[in-house]
Amino acid sequence: MDNFSTFIIPPILCLVTGYFLATISVIWGKVKKESILLALICFWWTLLSYSFIYHNIETDQARVMTVERIVHTFYVFAPFVSIAFFQVTIDRVNKAVLFGSLVISTALAFFVRTPYYFYGFYTYRWGMIARGGVAFQAFSLYGIAVSVYLFIIFFKRIREEENHLIRLKLFYLFAACFIYAVFTFTNCPAMHGIDFYPLSNFIFIPLGIMTYGVLKYRLVRIGSVFQMFVFWLAFSSMIAIPNYFIFILIKNNFMRLNSVRLVIIFLIWYFVNYYYFIKIQPLINQLFNRRNYNLSRMEKIFIKDLAMLKNLDDLIFQMTEMLKRALHVEYASLYIRRGYAGGYIDSQGKSLNIEIETEQVLLNGNFFEKSLIESDEELNDSMGPVLHLFNSSRSEYIVPLVHQNELIAILALKKKINRESLKDKEVEFICNLSYYATIALANSVMYQNLSDMKDNLEKIVEERTAVIEKQKYNMESDIQLARKIQMALLPANIPDLKKLKIAFKYEPIMGVGGDFIDIHYREGMNELGLFICDVSGHGASSAMIASMVKMSLNSWGKFIKSPARAFAEIKNLLRGKIGDNFITAYMCCIDLKSGVITSACAGHPAMVIIRKNSEIELVKPSGLILFDLKDSVYEEARSVLNDGDKLVLYTDGVFETINSAGEMIGVERFIQMLKENYYLNAEGLCQKIYNDIFTFPGNIIEDDFALLVAEYRD
């Protein structure tokens, strides 16, 4: 210990690194079989470091030989542990080979303490090493055979694997195995009298590569990184080397130069270096980051072009072509959500159906890679729904386009033409383009849907007018067609819930009308929304505006808990589109667990709450009708439904009906009718009011009839 040798540093570093990596593998690997075997590999591959360290701190050869034999008693099992680890890691378990390796290692362990294994030492300037006997030669051949076996199964497994991330992981493991074999066999020259420092003291290098390959899933190609570093270093030396020679020149002639010349030389030297770092170095950086520079430039071009895109088709084409040109992917497609049903269609007419579970997964991420998910068991379990989406879209990458917590489109990309995986900067480029496109896309989709609906309704009105001019009976068929379209906008399937039973009646007086009812609910939600509105006027124009109201409710889900915000959003979407018409509306949100109702009113008749004991409550928060001439602040009111309570929403056509005596039924009589029939269920009460008002003999109906009843059950 008096004369410290630097040759002891590599084996010490090897031990420290090995145990550190073993600890990391167990903690980070979450105590899986693969991580446990990796920890054992880190222990076994560094066993020889104990011998090399002891060589440098002990001079008594008898003691050194004792330590050598103890270490090698365990080390002869290194091939067995290596086979076990690599078989599990590459999923090629062969129990016969594993058992045979265990038998051979056990047999060799009995010879370690005999002269047939070690019988003396060679001494060199860096230390000493044991002389190998016949048994050790057998161990060496055994190690060669194991290495060849591992190389063979690696080649077969790599050739079969299609997932590029798993294949890259296998390359890392193969590189680690190969380097370990080479480093270990460099002990042989010294054990046969040749002065060569054993590279097995640097076993921490393959250990680090192997640990990275096992535990890290988004792998980096080390070769490309190293190549870029070398080129950058070479070009950067363009300033370092000239500076060095100038410094030597000035140093040798410093005393012979006067002050003026020195000042001039130093100023020139300073400005040359300054110019290099300001002008030349950025060019070098741009040269070596040309890919990133080009992506940044194309991103700016895309943002600039967004302002000039005329329609949705132009946006889709510009985005997909930009991605194909920038990333060199085989295929790029944008699937856009059409309506509120969950169907997604691309520019070629291909459709994707996305389940709610898949949509929830997509909403929680911004970039999904098929190979990365398949290479990780935990990700594979949690991302199962997304894998089905990869298969149906035949893509390698999926980017969800989310606007205000709603999925409005899906970008699907295939692999790059050169089969390489996307780099981090390329992923960032995709996400940036998706972010900018999402805003424009949300507006385009909404406008396109409203425009399509408006165009369709105008076409129906034009066709109906032409038919009226020809024959009267054709007008009736066209009105019925329009009625079917409007009826299709009404809730087709009323949610069948234990907590809430809903019934409604809707009858326009002219086949189509301006009254409208909507129900918002998705499976698994705790809230249910009810909406009713009345557009001024009658007939086709009111029906068209009612349909526009329906389109504006596509984003209702975002504001279901806040009806006041929903009214503000609807008013904003309809601004400038309803002309001289106005709309009264009532919206409420029911918490199915607690029975709490949050409601808002836009100049509509009050909501009626019928208590189980027949008591009546009227709820009408303040708020003006929806029209273009004046904005309004909408108040929210909260009420609580108990078991058996009902709420009633209606339009003014219900109580403005004229009876046989020429008198309007009025609100008071309507409320009395509700009170008298409080004991009926939702369906019964709705039918009773409909029969007594709309179909009662002698009654004169002058407005559309819309009635909605909901009964809460705790």
Side-chain angles (χ1 to χ4, degrees):
M1 293 297 292
D2 294 335
N3 298 321
F4 177 78
S5 173
T6 55
F7 292 106
I8 199 175
I9 296 176
I12 292 176
L13 183 60
C14 193
L15 275 180
V16 172
T17 305
Y19 287 119
F20 173 75
L21 293 177
T23 304
I24 291 297
S25 67
V26 173
I27 296 175
W28 196 357
K30 299 180 180 178
V31 200
K32 295 187 295 187
K33 182 189 293 185
E34 186 182 56
S35 61
I36 296 297
L37 287 172
L38 176 59
L40 291 176
I41 281 284
C42 292
F43 171 76
W44 245 274
W45 282 14
T46 56
L47 278 175
L48 293 183
S49 299
Y50 287 104
S51 298
F52 285 112
I53 293 171
Y54 201 66
H55 291 171
N56 286 275
I57 62 176
E58 179 60 62
T59 57
D60 187 344
Q61 291 192 2
R63 293 181 179 178
V64 174
M65 180 59 75
T66 301
V67 172
E68 284 277 9
R69 295 188 188 283
I70 293 173
V71 169
H72 274 266
T73 300
F74 292 96
Y75 189 71
V76 292
F77 288 92
F80 166 73
V81 176
S82 299
I83 291 175
F85 169 71
F86 286 116
Q87 282 189 353
V88 170
T89 304
I90 66 178
D91 194 23
R92 286 293 184 274
V93 177
N94 188 321
K95 293 183 179 180
V97 173
L98 198 59
F99 179 74
S101 174
L102 178 60
V103 171
I104 295 173
S105 295
T106 304
L108 288 170
F110 286 105
F111 286 95
V112 170
R113 295 183 177 274
T114 69
Y116 295 105
Y117 197 88
F118 288 141
Y119 62 92
F121 290 95
Y122 284 109
T123 303
Y124 303 102
R125 57 187 177 81
W126 43 264
M128 54 184 167
I129 193 168
R131 298 185 182 187
V134 176
F136 182 80
Q137 304 303 329
F139 175 63
S140 299
L141 293 174
Y142 168 44
I144 293 174
V146 169
S147 299
V148 171
Y149 165 73
L150 292 177
F151 294 159
I152 291 173
I153 64 174
F154 263 118
F155 280 124
K156 289 183 178 180
R157 181 69 175 84
I158 291 172
R159 188 171 56 184
E160 297 170 0
E161 183 56 52
E162 295 182 357
N163 187 309
H164 68 275
L165 286 180
I166 297 179
R167 191 186 302 116
L168 188 56
K169 174 181 176 181
L170 293 174
F171 274 121
Y172 272 86
L173 296 180
F174 172 77
C177 182
F178 178 78
I179 295 172
Y180 167 72
V182 172
F183 280 14
T184 301
F185 286 114
T186 58
N187 290 343
C188 294
M191 297 181 73
H192 290 82
I194 300 174
D195 187 0
F196 182 83
Y197 185 71
L199 296 180
S200 58
N201 287 315
F202 298 94
I203 252 2
F204 58 84
I205 295 175
L207 279 178
I209 295 174
M210 183 169 57
T211 305
Y212 181 82
V214 171
L215 299 180
K216 186 74 173 177
Y217 290 99
R218 192 169 184 86
L219 302 169
V220 179
R221 295 186 182 276
I222 294 179
S224 60
V225 175
F226 179 75
Q227 183 182 16
M228 291 297 296
F229 172 75
V230 170
F231 276 108
W232 182 88
L233 188 64
F235 277 91
S236 296
S237 64
M238 292 172 57
I239 190 65
I241 294 175
N243 272 315
Y244 173 76
F245 284 111
I246 292 173
F247 175 77
I248 296 299
L249 182 64
I250 294 175
K251 177 183 176 183
N252 295 335
N253 297 279
F254 185 80
M255 300 305 297
R256 288 181 288 180
L257 295 173
N258 59 40
S259 301
V260 175
R261 289 183 178 180
L262 281 175
V263 170
I264 293 173
I265 290 173
F266 279 118
L267 285 175
I268 294 174
W269 192 9
Y270 168 78
F271 282 112
V272 168
N273 280 277
Y274 177 79
Y275 182 81
Y276 171 83
F277 284 108
I278 296 299
K279 299 293 184 180
I280 306 300
Q281 188 66 42
L283 292 177
I284 293 175
N285 292 338
Q286 182 177 320
L287 177 65
F288 290 106
N289 294 280
R290 179 169 295 277
R291 179 65 175 156
N292 297 342
Y293 173 78
N294 289 338
L295 290 176
S296 178
R297 182 174 58 84
M298 297 185 82
E299 182 180 324
K300 293 176 182 178
I301 293 173
F302 179 75
I303 297 173
K304 182 180 178 181
D305 290 346
L306 274 180
M308 296 184 290
L309 297 178
K310 296 180 179 180
N311 53 47
L312 186 59
D313 292 335
D314 289 345
L315 173 62
I316 296 172
F317 178 80
Q318 178 75 3
M319 184 175 184
T320 54
E321 288 300 312
M322 176 73 75
L323 289 169
K324 287 191 286 188
R325 188 168 68 251
L327 305 177
H328 307 293
V329 293
E330 297 177 355
Y331 173 78
S333 183
L334 192 64
Y335 293 87
I336 300 176
R337 186 171 193 162
R338 301 292 187 180
Y340 203 70
Y344 294 78
I345 304 174
D346 70 355
S347 58
Q348 305 298 322
K350 298 177 182 177
S351 62
L352 286 178
N353 292 319
I354 300 179
E355 302 294 335
I356 295 179
E357 183 182 3
T358 306
E359 184 174 322
Q360 291 301 318
V361 176
L362 293 175
L363 288 173
N364 292 326
N366 59 358
F367 185 83
F368 299 86
E369 182 177 353
K370 181 180 179 182
S371 298
L372 183 61
I373 295 172
E374 290 178 339
S375 65
D376 189 330
E377 293 181 2
E378 295 181 4
L379 282 178
N380 207 327
D381 294 337
S382 60
M383 297 288 182
V386 179
L387 284 177
H388 295 297
L389 189 59
F390 278 115
N391 296 330
S392 58
S393 63
R394 297 181 180 179
S395 59
E396 175 65 18
Y397 309 98
I398 284 179
V399 182
L401 276 64
V402 179
H403 181 68
Q404 296 182 347
N405 293 325
E406 278 201 43
L407 186 65
I408 62 171
I410 294 170
L411 175 64
L413 302 171
K414 282 193 175 182
K415 293 181 179 179
K416 297 174 70 173
I417 296 174
N418 59 9
R419 317 306 290 176
E420 291 185 359
S421 59
L422 292 175
K423 299 178 176 61
D424 290 340
K425 283 293 182 181
E426 292 173 328
V427 173
E428 182 181 345
F429 171 74
I430 295 172
C431 294
N432 288 343
L433 253 63
S434 300
Y435 171 76
Y436 297 122
T438 298
I439 301 173
L441 190 62
N443 295 329
S444 297
V445 169
M446 181 186 68
Y447 176 79
Q448 192 81 30
N449 289 338
L450 287 173
S451 179
D452 290 346
M453 180 60 69
K454 182 179 179 181
D455 292 343
N456 289 337
L457 288 174
E458 287 178 348
K459 183 178 180 181
I460 292 172
V461 173
E462 290 175 0
E463 291 176 352
R464 185 175 53 180
T465 302
V467 171
I468 290 174
E469 293 175 352
K470 293 180 179 180
Q471 291 182 337
K472 185 177 179 180
Y473 70 89
N474 286 340
M475 179 189 68
E476 297 296 330
S477 64
D478 285 344
I479 291 177
Q480 290 302 317
L481 176 61
R483 175 182 173 84
K484 290 180 181 180
I485 293 175
Q486 186 173 32
M487 288 302 179
L489 298 177
L490 296 173
N493 298 312
I494 299 176
D496 186 14
L497 306 173
K498 294 182 179 179
K499 286 278 190 176
L500 200 70
K501 297 299 178 182
I502 304 172
F504 71 89
K505 286 288 185 180
Y506 172 63
E507 285 290 342
I509 60 171
M510 296 178 61
V512 292
D515 289 6
F516 177 70
I517 292 172
D518 200 11
I519 301 171
H520 180 80
Y521 178 76
R522 284 188 178 182
E523 190 69 26
M525 292 177 57
N526 291 325
E527 295 83 18
L528 181 141
L530 299 175
F531 177 85
I532 191 169
C533 75
D534 185 359
V535 181
S536 61
H538 306 288
S541 61
S542 298
M544 184 177 69
I545 295 175
S547 300
M548 295 172 66
V549 173
K550 168 65 176 177
M551 294 303 301
S552 70
L553 288 172
N554 276 352
S555 58
W556 185 11
K558 299 190 298 291
F559 310 102
I560 188 169
K561 295 183 180 180
S562 179
R565 286 186 61 196
F567 273 137
E569 181 73 8
I570 292 171
K571 182 176 178 60
N572 185 53
L573 292 174
L574 296 177
R575 190 180 302 276
K577 298 181 178 65
I578 61 176
D580 296 330
N581 295 83
F582 62 88
I583 303 167
T584 69
Y586 203 104
M587 182 185 297
C588 62
C589 169
I590 304 174
D591 189 320
L592 298 177
K593 289 185 177 180
S594 63
V596 173
I597 310 174
T598 305
S599 58
C601 178
H604 198 78
M607 175 177 69
V608 180
I609 296 179
I610 308 173
R611 297 299 180 184
K612 190 175 182 179
N613 60 1
S614 79
E615 291 183 3
I616 299 294
E617 294 179 15
L618 300 181
V619 181
K620 186 174 182 179
S622 64
L624 298 179
I625 59 177
L626 299 171
F627 71 124
D628 284 340
L629 298 181
K630 187 174 181 60
D631 291 326
S632 174
V633 176
Y634 296 97
E635 178 187 354
E636 287 185 350
R638 284 178 173 76
S639 309
V640 179
L641 289 179
N642 299 314
D643 181 50
D645 292 347
K646 303 177 189 69
L647 67 83
V648 181
L649 297 176
Y650 51 96
T651 57
D652 54 11
V654 175
F655 55 82
E656 289 181 354
T657 299
I658 306 299
N659 61 22
S660 56
E663 299 174 347
M664 182 183 297
I665 290 179
V667 175
E668 293 183 2
R669 174 58 188 149
F670 170 63
I671 298 299
Q672 184 62 32
M673 293 169 67
L674 295 175
K675 187 177 180 68
E676 292 172 355
N677 297 281
Y678 76 98
Y679 55 88
L680 296 175
N681 60 21
E683 181 67 31
L685 181 60
C686 192
Q687 188 65 48
K688 175 67 174 175
I689 299 300
Y690 177 80
N691 293 339
D692 289 353
I693 293 180
F694 196 84
T695 64
F696 194 84
N699 283 359
I700 302 174
I701 310 300
E702 297 184 342
D703 201 353
D704 302 330
F705 181 96
L707 176 68
L708 185 149
V709 180
E711 181 179 2
Y712 183 73
R713 297 178 180 178
D714 194 356

